[in-house]
Coordinates of all heavy atoms in Angstrom, one line a residue:
M1 N 0.9 -1.2 0.0 CA 0.0 0.0 0.0 C 0.9 1.2 0.0 O 1.9 1.3 0.6 CB -0.9 0.0 1.2 CG -1.8 1.1 1.3 SD -3.0 1.0 2.7 CE -3.4 2.6 2.9
N2 N 0.5 2.2 -0.8 CA 1.2 3.5 -0.9 C 0.7 4.4 0.2 O -0.4 4.8 0.2 CB 1.0 4.0 -2.2 CG 1.8 5.3 -2.5 OD1 2.1 6.0 -1.6 ND2 2.1 5.5 -3.7
V3 N 1.6 4.7 1.2 CA 1.1 5.5 2.3 C 0.8 6.9 2.0 O -0.1 7.5 2.5 CB 2.3 5.7 3.5 CG1 1.9 5.2 4.8 CG2 3.6 5.1 2.9
N4 N 1.3 7.5 0.9 CA 1.0 8.8 0.5 C -0.2 8.8 -0.5 O -0.7 9.8 -0.9 CB 2.1 9.4 -0.3 CG 3.3 9.6 0.5 OD1 3.2 9.9 1.7 ND2 4.5 9.4 0.0
N5 N -0.8 7.6 -0.8 CA -1.9 7.4 -1.7 C -1.6 8.0 -3.0 O -2.6 8.2 -3.8 CB -3.2 8.1 -1.1 CG -3.7 7.3 0.1 OD1 -3.6 6.1 0.1 ND2 -4.2 8.1 1.0
I6 N -0.4 8.2 -3.5 CA 0.0 8.6 -4.7 C 0.2 7.3 -5.6 O 0.9 6.5 -5.2 CB 1.3 9.4 -4.7 CG1 1.1 10.7 -3.8 CG2 1.8 9.7 -6.1 CD1 2.4 11.4 -3.7
G7 N -0.5 7.4 -6.7 CA -0.3 6.2 -7.6 C -1.4 5.0 -7.3 O -1.4 4.1 -8.0
D8 N -2.1 5.0 -6.2 CA -3.0 4.0 -5.9 C -3.9 3.7 -7.0 O -4.2 2.6 -7.4 CB -3.8 4.2 -4.6 CG -2.9 4.0 -3.4 OD1 -1.8 3.5 -3.5 OD2 -3.3 4.4 -2.3
V9 N -4.6 4.7 -7.7 CA -5.5 4.5 -8.7 C -4.9 3.8 -9.9 O -5.5 3.0 -10.6 CB -6.1 5.9 -9.2 CG1 -7.0 5.7 -10.4 CG2 -6.9 6.5 -8.1
C10 N -3.7 4.3 -10.3 CA -2.9 3.7 -11.4 C -2.5 2.1 -11.2 O -2.5 1.4 -12.0 CB -1.7 4.4 -11.7 SG -2.1 5.9 -12.5
E11 N -2.3 1.9 -9.8 CA -1.9 0.5 -9.5 C -3.0 -0.4 -9.4 O -2.9 -1.6 -9.3 CB -1.0 0.6 -8.3 CG 0.3 1.3 -8.5 CD 1.1 1.6 -7.2 OE1 0.6 1.1 -6.2 OE2 2.1 2.3 -7.3
S12 N -4.2 0.2 -9.3 CA -5.4 -0.9 -9.2 C -5.8 -1.5 -10.5 O -5.5 -1.1 -11.5 CB -6.6 0.0 -8.5 OG -7.1 0.9 -9.5
D13 N -6.5 -2.6 -10.4 CA -7.0 -3.4 -11.5 C -8.5 -3.6 -11.4 O -8.8 -4.6 -10.9 CB -6.1 -4.7 -11.5 CG -6.5 -5.5 -12.7 OD1 -7.2 -5.0 -13.6 OD2 -6.0 -6.6 -12.8
S14 N -9.2 -2.7 -11.8 CA -10.7 -2.7 -11.6 C -11.3 -3.9 -12.3 O -12.3 -4.5 -11.7 CB -11.3 -1.4 -12.2 OG -10.9 -0.4 -11.5
D15 N -10.8 -4.4 -13.4 CA -11.4 -5.6 -14.1 C -10.8 -6.9 -13.8 O -11.1 -8.0 -14.4 CB -11.5 -5.3 -15.5 CG -10.2 -5.0 -16.2 OD1 -9.2 -5.2 -15.5 OD2 -10.3 -4.7 -17.4
N16 N -9.8 -6.9 -12.9 CA -9.0 -8.1 -12.5 C -8.5 -8.9 -13.7 O -8.5 -10.1 -13.8 CB -9.8 -9.0 -11.6 CG -10.2 -8.3 -10.4 OD1 -9.4 -7.8 -9.6 ND2 -11.5 -8.3 -10.0
D17 N -8.0 -8.2 -14.7 CA -7.4 -8.9 -15.9 C -5.9 -9.0 -15.9 O -5.3 -9.7 -16.7 CB -7.9 -8.2 -17.2 CG -7.4 -6.7 -17.3 OD1 -6.6 -6.3 -16.5 OD2 -7.6 -6.1 -18.4
G18 N -5.3 -8.5 -14.9 CA -3.9 -8.5 -14.7 C -3.1 -7.3 -15.3 O -1.9 -7.2 -15.2
L19 N -3.9 -6.3 -15.8 CA -3.2 -5.0 -16.2 C -3.8 -4.0 -15.2 O -5.0 -3.9 -15.0 CB -3.7 -4.7 -17.5 CG -3.1 -5.4 -18.7 CD1 -3.6 -4.8 -20.0 CD2 -1.6 -5.5 -18.7
N20 N -2.9 -3.2 -14.6 CA -3.3 -2.0 -13.9 C -3.9 -1.0 -14.6 O -3.6 -1.0 -15.9 CB -2.2 -1.7 -12.8 CG -1.1 -1.0 -13.5 OD1 -1.2 -0.2 -14.5 ND2 0.1 -1.3 -12.9
E21 N -4.6 0.0 -14.1 CA -5.2 1.1 -14.8 C -4.2 1.9 -15.8 O -4.5 2.3 -16.9 CB -5.9 2.0 -14.0 CG -7.3 1.7 -13.8 CD -7.7 0.5 -13.0 OE1 -6.9 -0.5 -12.8 OE2 -8.8 0.3 -12.5
A22 N -3.0 2.0 -15.2 CA -1.9 2.8 -16.1 C -1.7 2.0 -17.3 O -1.5 2.5 -18.5 CB -0.7 3.1 -15.3
E23 N -1.5 0.6 -17.1 CA -1.2 -0.2 -18.3 C -2.3 -0.3 -19.3 O -2.2 -0.3 -20.5 CB -0.8 -1.7 -17.8 CG 0.5 -1.7 -17.1 CD 0.7 -3.0 -16.4 OE1 -0.3 -3.5 -15.7 OE2 1.9 -3.4 -16.4
E24 N -3.6 -0.3 -18.8 CA -4.8 -0.3 -19.5 C -4.9 1.0 -20.4 O -5.2 1.0 -21.6 CB -6.1 -0.5 -18.7 CG -6.1 -1.8 -17.9 CD -7.2 -2.7 -18.5 OE1 -7.6 -2.6 -19.6 OE2 -7.5 -3.6 -17.6
N25 N -4.6 2.2 -19.7 CA -4.6 3.4 -20.4 C -3.6 3.4 -21.6 O -3.9 3.9 -22.6 CB -4.4 4.6 -19.4 CG -5.7 4.8 -18.6 OD1 -6.7 4.6 -18.9 ND2 -5.4 5.4 -17.4
K26 N -2.4 2.9 -21.3 CA -1.4 2.9 -22.2 C -1.8 2.0 -23.5 O -1.6 2.4 -24.6 CB -0.1 2.4 -21.7 CG 1.1 2.4 -22.7 CD 2.4 1.9 -22.0 CE 3.6 1.9 -22.9 NZ 4.7 1.5 -22.3
A27 N -2.4 0.9 -23.2 CA -2.8 0.0 -24.2 C -4.1 0.4 -24.9 O -4.5 -0.1 -26.0 CB -3.0 -1.5 -23.6
G28 N -4.9 1.3 -24.2 CA -6.1 1.8 -24.9 C -7.3 0.8 -24.6 O -8.3 1.0 -25.2
T29 N -7.1 -0.1 -23.7 CA -8.1 -1.0 -23.3 C -9.1 -0.4 -22.2 O -8.7 0.5 -21.5 CB -7.5 -2.3 -22.7 OG1 -6.5 -2.0 -21.7 CG2 -6.7 -3.0 -23.9
D30 N -10.2 -1.1 -22.2 CA -11.3 -0.7 -21.2 C -10.9 -1.0 -19.7 O -10.7 -2.4 -19.5 CB -12.6 -1.3 -21.6 CG -13.8 -0.8 -20.9 OD1 -13.6 -0.4 -19.6 OD2 -14.9 -0.9 -21.4
I31 N -10.8 -0.3 -18.7 CA -10.4 -0.5 -17.4 C -11.5 -1.3 -16.6 O -11.2 -1.9 -15.6 CB -10.0 0.7 -16.6 CG1 -11.2 1.5 -16.4 CG2 -8.8 1.4 -17.2 CD1 -11.0 2.7 -15.4
L32 N -12.7 -1.5 -17.3 CA -13.8 -2.2 -16.6 C -14.1 -3.5 -17.4 O -15.0 -4.2 -16.9 CB -15.1 -1.3 -16.6 CG -14.8 -0.1 -15.7 CD1 -16.1 0.8 -15.8 CD2 -14.5 -0.3 -14.3
K33 N -13.4 -3.9 -18.4 CA -13.6 -5.1 -19.1 C -12.3 -5.8 -19.3 O -11.3 -5.3 -19.7 CB -14.1 -5.0 -20.5 CG -15.5 -4.4 -20.7 CD -15.9 -4.3 -22.2 CE -16.0 -5.7 -22.9 NZ -16.4 -5.6 -24.2
S34 N -12.3 -7.1 -18.7 CA -11.1 -7.8 -18.8 C -10.7 -8.3 -20.1 O -9.6 -8.6 -20.3 CB -11.2 -9.2 -17.8 OG -12.4 -9.9 -18.3
D35 N -11.6 -8.4 -21.1 CA -11.4 -8.7 -22.4 C -12.0 -7.7 -23.3 O -13.1 -7.9 -23.9 CB -11.9 -10.2 -22.8 CG -11.6 -10.6 -24.2 OD1 -11.0 -9.9 -24.9 OD2 -12.2 -11.6 -24.5
T36 N -11.2 -6.6 -23.6 CA -11.8 -5.5 -24.2 C -12.4 -5.8 -25.6 O -13.5 -5.3 -26.0 CB -10.7 -4.3 -24.4 OG1 -10.4 -3.8 -23.1 CG2 -11.3 -3.1 -25.2
D37 N -11.7 -6.7 -26.4 CA -12.2 -7.0 -27.7 C -12.9 -8.3 -27.8 O -13.4 -8.6 -29.0 CB -11.0 -7.0 -28.7 CG -10.0 -8.1 -28.4 OD1 -10.2 -8.8 -27.5 OD2 -8.9 -8.1 -29.0
N38 N -13.3 -8.9 -26.7 CA -14.2 -10.1 -26.7 C -13.7 -11.2 -27.5 O -14.5 -12.0 -28.1 CB -15.5 -9.7 -27.1 CG -16.3 -8.8 -26.0 OD1 -16.2 -9.0 -24.9 ND2 -16.7 -7.7 -26.6
D39 N -12.3 -11.5 -27.5 CA -11.9 -12.5 -28.3 C -11.5 -13.8 -27.5 O -11.0 -14.7 -28.0 CB -10.7 -12.1 -29.1 CG -9.5 -11.7 -28.3 OD1 -9.6 -11.7 -27.0 OD2 -8.4 -11.3 -28.9
G40 N -11.8 -13.8 -26.2 CA -11.4 -14.9 -25.3 C -10.1 -14.9 -24.7 O -9.8 -15.7 -24.0
L41 N -9.3 -13.8 -24.9 CA -8.0 -13.6 -24.3 C -8.2 -12.4 -23.5 O -8.8 -11.4 -23.7 CB -6.9 -13.4 -25.3 CG -6.6 -14.5 -26.2 CD1 -5.5 -14.0 -27.2 CD2 -6.2 -15.8 -25.4
T42 N -7.7 -12.5 -22.1 CA -7.7 -11.3 -21.3 C -6.9 -10.2 -21.9 O -5.9 -10.4 -22.7 CB -7.3 -11.5 -19.8 OG1 -5.9 -11.9 -19.9 CG2 -8.2 -12.6 -19.1
D43 N -7.0 -9.0 -21.5 CA -6.1 -7.9 -22.1 C -4.8 -8.1 -21.6 O -3.8 -7.9 -22.4 CB -6.6 -6.6 -21.4 CG -8.1 -6.1 -22.0 OD1 -8.4 -6.6 -23.0 OD2 -8.7 -5.3 -21.4
R44 N -4.5 -8.7 -20.5 CA -3.2 -8.9 -19.9 C -2.5 -9.9 -20.9 O -1.3 -9.8 -21.3 CB -3.1 -9.5 -18.5 CG -1.7 -9.8 -18.1 CD -1.7 -10.7 -16.8 NE -0.4 -11.2 -16.5 CZ 0.1 -12.3 -17.1 NH1 -0.6 -13.0 -18.0 NH2 1.3 -12.7 -16.9
E45 N -3.3 -11.0 -21.2 CA -2.7 -12.1 -22.1 C -2.3 -11.5 -23.4 O -1.3 -11.9 -24.0 CB -3.7 -13.2 -22.3 CG -4.0 -14.1 -21.0 CD -5.1 -15.1 -21.2 OE1 -6.2 -14.8 -21.8 OE2 -4.9 -16.2 -20.9
E46 N -3.1 -10.6 -23.9 CA -2.9 -10.0 -25.2 C -1.7 -9.1 -25.2 O -0.8 -9.2 -26.1 CB -4.1 -9.3 -25.8 CG -5.3 -10.2 -26.1 CD -6.1 -9.7 -27.2 OE1 -5.5 -9.7 -28.3 OE2 -7.3 -9.6 -27.0
V47 N -1.5 -8.2 -24.2 CA -0.5 -7.3 -24.1 C 0.8 -7.9 -23.6 O 1.9 -7.7 -24.2 CB -0.9 -6.2 -23.1 CG1 0.3 -5.2 -22.8 CG2 -2.1 -5.4 -23.7
K48 N 0.8 -8.9 -22.7 CA 2.1 -9.3 -22.1 C 2.5 -10.7 -22.5 O 3.6 -11.1 -22.4 CB 2.0 -9.3 -20.6 CG 1.7 -7.8 -20.0 CD 2.0 -7.7 -18.6 CE 2.1 -6.3 -18.1 NZ 2.4 -6.1 -16.7
V49 N 1.5 -11.5 -22.9 CA 1.8 -12.9 -23.2 C 1.9 -13.2 -24.8 O 3.0 -13.5 -25.3 CB 0.8 -13.8 -22.6 CG1 1.1 -15.4 -23.0 CG2 0.8 -13.8 -21.1
Y50 N 0.9 -12.9 -25.4 CA 0.8 -13.2 -26.8 C 1.2 -12.1 -27.8 O 1.3 -12.3 -29.0 CB -0.6 -13.7 -27.3 CG -1.0 -15.0 -26.4 CD1 -1.9 -15.0 -25.5 CD2 -0.3 -16.1 -26.6 CE1 -2.3 -16.1 -24.8 CE2 -0.6 -17.3 -25.8 CZ -1.6 -17.3 -24.9 OH -1.9 -18.4 -24.2
K51 N 1.3 -10.9 -27.2 CA 1.7 -9.7 -28.0 C 0.7 -9.5 -29.1 O 1.1 -9.2 -30.3 CB 3.0 -9.8 -28.6 CG 4.1 -10.1 -27.5 CD 4.3 -9.0 -26.4 CE 5.5 -9.4 -25.7 NZ 5.3 -9.0 -24.2
T52 N -0.6 -9.7 -28.9 CA -1.7 -9.5 -29.9 C -2.3 -8.1 -29.7 O -1.9 -7.4 -28.7 CB -2.7 -10.5 -29.8 OG1 -3.2 -10.7 -28.5 CG2 -2.1 -11.9 -30.4
N53 N -3.1 -7.7 -30.5 CA -3.8 -6.4 -30.4 C -5.0 -6.5 -29.4 O -6.1 -7.1 -29.8 CB -4.2 -5.9 -31.8 CG -4.9 -4.5 -31.7 OD1 -5.3 -4.0 -30.7 ND2 -4.9 -3.8 -32.8
P54 N -5.1 -6.0 -28.3 CA -6.2 -6.2 -27.4 C -7.4 -5.3 -27.8 O -8.5 -5.5 -27.2 CB -5.5 -5.5 -26.0 CG -4.6 -4.6 -26.4 CD -4.0 -5.2 -27.7
L55 N -7.3 -4.6 -28.8 CA -8.5 -3.7 -29.4 C -9.0 -4.4 -30.6 O -10.0 -4.0 -31.1 CB -8.0 -2.4 -29.6 CG -7.3 -1.6 -28.4 CD1 -6.8 -0.2 -29.0 CD2 -8.2 -1.4 -27.3
Q56 N -8.4 -5.5 -31.1 CA -9.0 -6.1 -32.3 C -9.0 -7.6 -32.1 O -8.0 -8.4 -31.8 CB -7.9 -5.9 -33.4 CG -8.4 -6.4 -34.8 CD -7.3 -5.9 -35.8 OE1 -6.6 -4.9 -35.7 NE2 -7.3 -6.7 -36.9
A57 N -10.2 -8.2 -32.2 CA -10.4 -9.6 -31.8 C -9.6 -10.5 -32.8 O -9.2 -11.7 -32.3 CB -11.9 -10.0 -32.0
D58 N -9.3 -10.1 -33.9 CA -8.5 -10.9 -34.9 C -7.2 -10.2 -35.3 O -7.2 -9.5 -36.3 CB -9.3 -11.3 -36.1 CG -8.6 -12.1 -37.1 OD1 -7.5 -12.6 -36.8 OD2 -9.2 -12.3 -38.3
S59 N -6.2 -10.3 -34.6 CA -5.0 -9.5 -34.7 C -4.4 -9.5 -36.1 O -3.8 -8.7 -36.7 CB -4.0 -9.7 -33.7 OG -4.4 -9.3 -32.4
D60 N -4.3 -10.8 -36.6 CA -3.7 -11.0 -38.0 C -4.7 -11.0 -39.2 O -4.4 -11.3 -40.2 CB -2.9 -12.2 -38.0 CG -3.7 -13.5 -37.7 OD1 -4.9 -13.5 -37.6 OD2 -3.1 -14.6 -37.5
N61 N -6.0 -10.6 -38.9 CA -7.0 -10.5 -40.0 C -7.2 -11.8 -40.8 O -7.3 -11.6 -42.0 CB -6.7 -9.4 -40.8 CG -6.8 -8.1 -40.0 OD1 -7.7 -7.7 -39.4 ND2 -5.7 -7.2 -40.1
D62 N -7.2 -12.9 -40.2 CA -7.2 -14.2 -40.9 C -8.7 -14.8 -40.7 O -8.8 -16.0 -41.1 CB -6.2 -15.2 -40.6 CG -6.3 -15.7 -39.1 OD1 -7.1 -15.2 -38.4 OD2 -5.5 -16.6 -38.8
T63 N -9.6 -14.2 -40.1 CA -11.0 -14.4 -39.9 C -11.2 -15.4 -38.7 O -12.2 -15.8 -38.3 CB -11.7 -15.1 -41.1 OG1 -11.2 -16.4 -41.4 CG2 -11.6 -14.3 -42.4
M64 N -10.1 -15.8 -38.0 CA -10.2 -16.5 -36.7 C -9.8 -15.6 -35.6 O -8.6 -15.1 -35.7 CB -9.3 -17.8 -36.7 CG -9.5 -18.7 -35.5 SD -8.5 -20.2 -35.6 CE -9.5 -21.2 -36.5
N65 N -10.6 -15.5 -34.5 CA -10.2 -14.5 -33.5 C -9.1 -15.1 -32.7 O -8.7 -16.3 -32.7 CB -11.4 -14.2 -32.5 CG -11.8 -15.2 -31.6 OD1 -11.1 -15.9 -30.9 ND2 -13.1 -15.3 -31.4
D66 N -8.3 -14.3 -32.0 CA -7.0 -14.6 -31.3 C -7.3 -15.7 -30.3 O -6.4 -16.6 -30.2 CB -6.5 -13.3 -30.5 CG -6.2 -12.3 -31.5 OD1 -6.1 -12.5 -32.7 OD2 -6.0 -11.1 -31.1
G67 N -8.4 -15.6 -29.6 CA -8.6 -16.7 -28.5 C -8.8 -18.1 -29.2 O -8.1 -19.1 -28.7
D68 N -9.4 -18.1 -30.2 CA -9.7 -19.4 -30.9 C -8.3 -19.9 -31.6 O -8.1 -21.1 -31.5 CB -10.7 -19.3 -32.1 CG -12.1 -19.1 -31.6 OD1 -12.4 -19.5 -30.4 OD2 -12.9 -18.7 -32.4
E69 N -7.5 -19.0 -32.0 CA -6.3 -19.4 -32.6 C -5.3 -20.0 -31.5 O -4.7 -21.0 -31.7 CB -5.6 -18.2 -33.2 CG -6.2 -17.8 -34.5 CD -5.4 -16.8 -35.5 OE1 -4.5 -17.5 -36.1 OE2 -5.6 -15.7 -35.5
I70 N -5.3 -19.5 -30.4 CA -4.5 -19.9 -29.3 C -5.0 -21.3 -28.9 O -4.3 -22.3 -28.7 CB -4.5 -19.0 -28.1 CG1 -3.7 -17.7 -28.4 CG2 -3.9 -19.7 -26.9 CD1 -2.2 -17.9 -28.8
Q71 N -6.4 -21.4 -28.7 CA -6.9 -22.7 -28.4 C -6.7 -23.8 -29.4 O -6.6 -25.0 -29.0 CB -8.5 -22.5 -28.3 CG -9.2 -23.7 -27.6 CD -10.7 -23.4 -27.4 OE1 -11.2 -22.5 -28.1 NE2 -11.2 -24.1 -26.5
N72 N -6.5 -23.4 -30.7 CA -6.3 -24.5 -31.7 C -4.8 -24.5 -32.1 O -4.4 -24.9 -33.2 CB -7.1 -24.1 -33.0 CG -8.5 -24.4 -32.8 OD1 -9.0 -25.5 -32.7 ND2 -9.4 -23.3 -32.7
R73 N -4.0 -23.9 -31.1 CA -2.5 -24.0 -31.3 C -2.1 -23.3 -32.7 O -1.2 -23.9 -33.4 CB -2.0 -25.4 -31.2 CG -2.3 -25.9 -29.9 CD -1.7 -27.2 -29.5 NE -0.2 -27.2 -29.6 CZ 0.6 -26.7 -28.7 NH1 0.1 -26.2 -27.6 NH2 2.0 -26.8 -28.9
R74 N -2.7 -22.2 -33.0 CA -2.2 -21.3 -34.2 C -1.7 -20.1 -33.7 O -2.1 -19.5 -32.7 CB -3.4 -21.1 -35.1 CG -4.0 -22.4 -35.7 CD -3.0 -22.9 -36.7 NE -3.4 -24.3 -37.2 CZ -2.5 -25.2 -37.3 NH1 -1.2 -25.1 -37.1 NH2 -2.9 -26.5 -37.8
D75 N -0.8 -19.4 -34.5 CA -0.2 -18.2 -34.1 C -1.2 -17.0 -34.4 O -1.5 -16.8 -35.6 CB 1.1 -18.0 -35.0 CG 1.9 -16.9 -34.5 OD1 1.4 -15.9 -33.9 OD2 3.1 -16.7 -35.0
P76 N -1.6 -16.3 -33.4 CA -2.6 -15.2 -33.6 C -1.9 -14.0 -34.3 O -2.6 -13.0 -34.6 CB -3.0 -14.9 -32.2 CG -1.8 -15.3 -31.4 CD -1.3 -16.5 -31.9
N77 N -0.7 -14.0 -34.5 CA 0.0 -12.8 -35.1 C 0.4 -13.2 -36.5 O 1.2 -12.4 -37.1 CB 1.2 -12.4 -34.3 CG 0.7 -11.7 -33.1 OD1 0.0 -10.9 -33.0 ND2 1.2 -12.4 -31.9
N78 N 0.0 -14.4 -37.1 CA 0.5 -14.8 -38.4 C -0.7 -15.5 -39.1 O -1.4 -16.3 -38.7 CB 1.5 -15.8 -38.3 CG 2.2 -16.3 -39.5 OD1 1.6 -16.2 -40.6 ND2 3.4 -16.8 -39.6
S79 N -1.0 -14.8 -40.3 CA -2.3 -15.1 -41.0 C -2.1 -16.3 -41.9 O -3.1 -16.9 -42.3 CB -2.7 -14.0 -41.8 OG -1.8 -13.7 -42.8
S80 N -1.0 -17.0 -41.9 CA -0.7 -18.2 -42.6 C -1.6 -19.3 -41.9 O -1.6 -19.5 -40.8 CB 0.8 -18.6 -42.6 OG 1.0 -19.8 -43.1
A81 N -2.3 -20.0 -42.7 CA -3.2 -21.0 -42.2 C -2.6 -22.1 -41.4 O -3.1 -22.8 -40.4 CB -4.1 -21.7 -43.3
N82 N -1.2 -22.3 -41.6 CA -0.5 -23.4 -40.9 C 0.5 -22.9 -39.9 O 1.4 -23.6 -39.6 CB 0.2 -24.3 -42.0 CG -0.8 -24.9 -42.9 OD1 -1.9 -25.4 -42.3 ND2 -0.6 -25.1 -44.2
A83 N 0.5 -21.6 -39.5 CA 1.4 -21.1 -38.6 C 1.1 -21.6 -37.1 O 0.1 -21.3 -36.6 CB 1.3 -19.6 -38.5
P84 N 2.0 -22.5 -36.6 CA 1.8 -23.2 -35.3 C 2.0 -22.2 -34.2 O 2.8 -21.2 -34.4 CB 2.7 -24.3 -35.4 CG 3.9 -23.9 -36.2 CD 3.2 -22.9 -37.2
W85 N 1.4 -22.4 -33.0 CA 1.7 -21.7 -31.8 C 2.1 -22.7 -30.8 O 1.4 -23.8 -30.6 CB 0.5 -20.9 -31.3 CG 0.8 -20.2 -30.0 CD1 0.7 -20.5 -28.7 CD2 1.6 -18.8 -30.0 NE1 1.2 -19.5 -27.9 CE2 1.8 -18.6 -28.7 CE3 2.0 -18.0 -30.9 CZ2 2.4 -17.4 -28.3 CZ3 2.7 -16.9 -30.7 CH2 2.9 -16.6 -29.3
P86 N 3.2 -22.6 -30.0 CA 4.1 -21.5 -30.2 C 4.9 -21.5 -31.5 O 5.1 -22.7 -31.9 CB 4.9 -21.5 -28.9 CG 4.9 -22.9 -28.5 CD 3.5 -23.4 -29.0
P87 N 5.4 -20.5 -32.0 CA 6.3 -20.5 -33.2 C 7.4 -21.4 -33.0 O 8.0 -21.4 -31.8 CB 6.6 -19.1 -33.4 CG 5.6 -18.2 -32.7 CD 5.2 -19.2 -31.6
T88 N 7.9 -22.1 -33.9 CA 9.1 -23.0 -33.8 C 10.3 -22.1 -33.9 O 10.5 -21.3 -34.9 CB 9.1 -24.0 -35.0 OG1 7.9 -24.7 -35.0 CG2 10.3 -25.0 -34.8
P89 N 11.2 -22.2 -32.9 CA 12.5 -21.4 -32.9 C 13.3 -21.9 -34.1 O 13.2 -23.1 -34.4 CB 13.0 -21.6 -31.6 CG 12.5 -22.8 -31.1 CD 11.2 -23.0 -31.7
P90 N 14.2 -21.1 -34.6 CA 15.1 -21.7 -35.6 C 16.1 -22.6 -35.0 O 16.3 -22.6 -33.8 CB 16.0 -20.4 -36.0 CG 15.7 -19.2 -35.0 CD 14.3 -19.7 -34.3
A91 N 16.6 -23.6 -35.9 CA 17.4 -24.6 -35.4 C 18.8 -24.0 -34.9 O 19.3 -23.0 -35.6 CB 17.6 -25.6 -36.5
F92 N 19.4 -24.6 -33.8 CA 20.5 -24.2 -33.4 C 21.7 -24.6 -34.3 O 21.8 -25.7 -34.7 CB 20.9 -24.7 -31.9 CG 22.3 -24.3 -31.5 CD1 22.6 -23.1 -31.0 CD2 23.3 -25.4 -31.4 CE1 23.8 -22.8 -30.6 CE2 24.6 -25.0 -31.0 CZ 24.9 -23.8 -30.6
S93 N 22.6 -23.7 -34.6 CA 23.7 -24.0 -35.5 C 25.1 -23.4 -34.9 O 25.1 -22.1 -34.6 CB 23.7 -23.4 -36.9 OG 24.8 -23.7 -37.7
P94 N 26.0 -24.2 -34.4 CA 27.2 -23.7 -33.6 C 28.1 -22.8 -34.6 O 29.0 -22.2 -34.1 CB 27.9 -24.9 -33.1 CG 27.4 -26.1 -34.0 CD 26.1 -25.7 -34.6
N95 N 27.9 -22.9 -35.9 CA 28.7 -22.2 -36.9 C 28.2 -20.7 -37.1 O 28.8 -20.1 -37.9 CB 28.8 -23.0 -38.2 CG 29.4 -24.3 -38.0 OD1 30.4 -24.5 -37.2 ND2 29.0 -25.4 -38.7
K96 N 27.1 -20.4 -36.5 CA 26.6 -19.1 -36.8 C 27.0 -18.2 -35.7 O 27.3 -18.3 -34.6 CB 25.0 -19.0 -36.8 CG 24.6 -19.7 -38.1 CD 23.1 -19.6 -38.1 CE 22.6 -20.2 -39.4 NZ 21.2 -20.0 -39.6

């Protein structure tokens, strides 16, 4: 708790989505809705985990919303129909 009560409003999380009000304001999300774009992912998941657009239900515009893509193990940031989630990292090569 902040004894001076400075910053308490910004540190609170009215919708319990994992983003405080300052983070919600920065992202442009609704401080009273845990899933601003109604895609099945919380605003925190979109901003901090999947790096998707919390204001757009379908971040890659492929007609499948972000939450459905994650549920179906598809990359919500890649419109290719076969883009897996999580993305496969490049193979390690000791010569690089």
Side-chain angles (χ1 to χ4, degrees):
M1 180 175 160
N2 185 333
V3 240
N4 298 323
N5 292 326
I6 299 172
D8 285 349
V9 171
C10 289
E11 294 170 9
S12 66
D13 181 9
S14 299
D15 57 9
N16 296 311
D17 63 358
L19 292 180
N20 65 39
E21 266 66 341
E23 293 169 316
E24 297 251 21
N25 287 331
K26 183 177 179 182
T29 54
D30 188 332
I31 65 170
L32 300 176
K33 282 183 73 179
S34 62
D35 180 7
T36 297
D37 60 7
N38 297 310
D39 64 358
L41 298 175
T42 65
D43 294 339
R44 179 196 168 280
E45 289 174 317
E46 297 216 54
V47 171
K48 294 191 174 187
V49 178
Y50 301 112
K51 310 293 188 215
T52 52
N53 184 341
L55 305 175
Q56 185 176 338
D58 180 12
S59 294
D60 59 9
N61 297 310
D62 65 355
T63 70
M64 183 181 278
N65 77 38
D66 299 340
D68 288 342
E69 289 197 78
I70 293 298
Q71 188 174 22
N72 288 291
R73 300 187 56 77
R74 296 288 170 221
D75 184 347
N77 293 304
N78 186 335
S79 61
S80 172
N82 297 318
W85 184 264
T88 307
F92 173 74
S93 175
N95 297 326
K96 288 187 177 182

